[in-house]
Amino acid sequence: QVQLVESGGGLVQAGGSLRLSCAASGHTFSSVAMAWFRQAPGQEREFVAAVGRNGGSTYYTDSVKGRFTISRDNAKNTVYLQMNSLKPEDTAVYYCAGAWTVSVTVVRNPAEYRYWGQGTQVTVSS
């Protein structure tokens, strides 16, 4: 069992930056592939970024490439999402998620992830 707790959300002006953190419980964090998703009001949950177990492989949705960076620190049981050059369309609740195994072909599918955090609100003002 893995429990996830996000932090770092808030209100920021367009062009600003935020860093989200997701702290995981348990002793198996390094065996879990991690991802960030987001969900805006009235919209489906959307894949943002994912990182492999050792941090060597990363994946991004096109709209955040070059602006967001996902990383993990297995010694601290934490995954991060550094968000730069934020836009109003980035406004959403951001969730971290974990999966024991996930193929690169389905890494963007939320149904592949077993563990979820409670979410943290990110609001970008124009």
Side-chain angles (χ1 to χ4, degrees):
Q1 186 75 7
V2 177
Q3 292 183 330
L4 305 173
V5 179
E6 302 98 334
S7 61
L11 173 64
V12 63
Q13 289 187 334
S17 298
L18 284 173
R19 188 176 82 155
L20 304 184
S21 299
C22 174
S25 65
H27 301 287
T28 57
F29 179 72
S30 61
S31 299
V32 180
M34 297 297 297
W36 287 94
F37 289 79
R38 64 188 180 187
Q39 189 167 19
Q43 298 188 19
E44 294 186 351
R45 194 163 295 190
E46 172 193 27
F47 171 79
V48 176
V51 60
R53 295 175 183 83
N54 63 5
S57 300
T58 56
Y59 310 89
Y60 298 92
T61 192
D62 286 346
S63 63
V64 308
K65 285 180 181 177
R67 300 189 298 123
F68 291 10
T69 302
I70 188 171
S71 62
R72 66 189 296 162
D73 185 338
N74 286 343
K76 295 182 178 180
N77 279 15
T78 302
V79 62
Y80 304 98
L81 185 68
Q82 178 66 45
M83 305 186 295
N84 299 328
S85 301
L86 282 160
K87 304 176 181 180
E89 51 263 44
D90 294 317
T91 295
V93 177
Y94 283 69
Y95 299 90
C96 68
W100 292 112
T101 60
V102 58
S103 167
V104 65
T105 59
V106 294
V107 69
R108 292 166 174 79
N109 185 353
E112 296 294 321
Y113 294 82
R114 179 175 183 178
Y115 303 107
W116 291 86
Q118 82 289 350
T120 186
Q121 177 70 46
V122 172
T123 303
V124 184
S125 63
S126 57

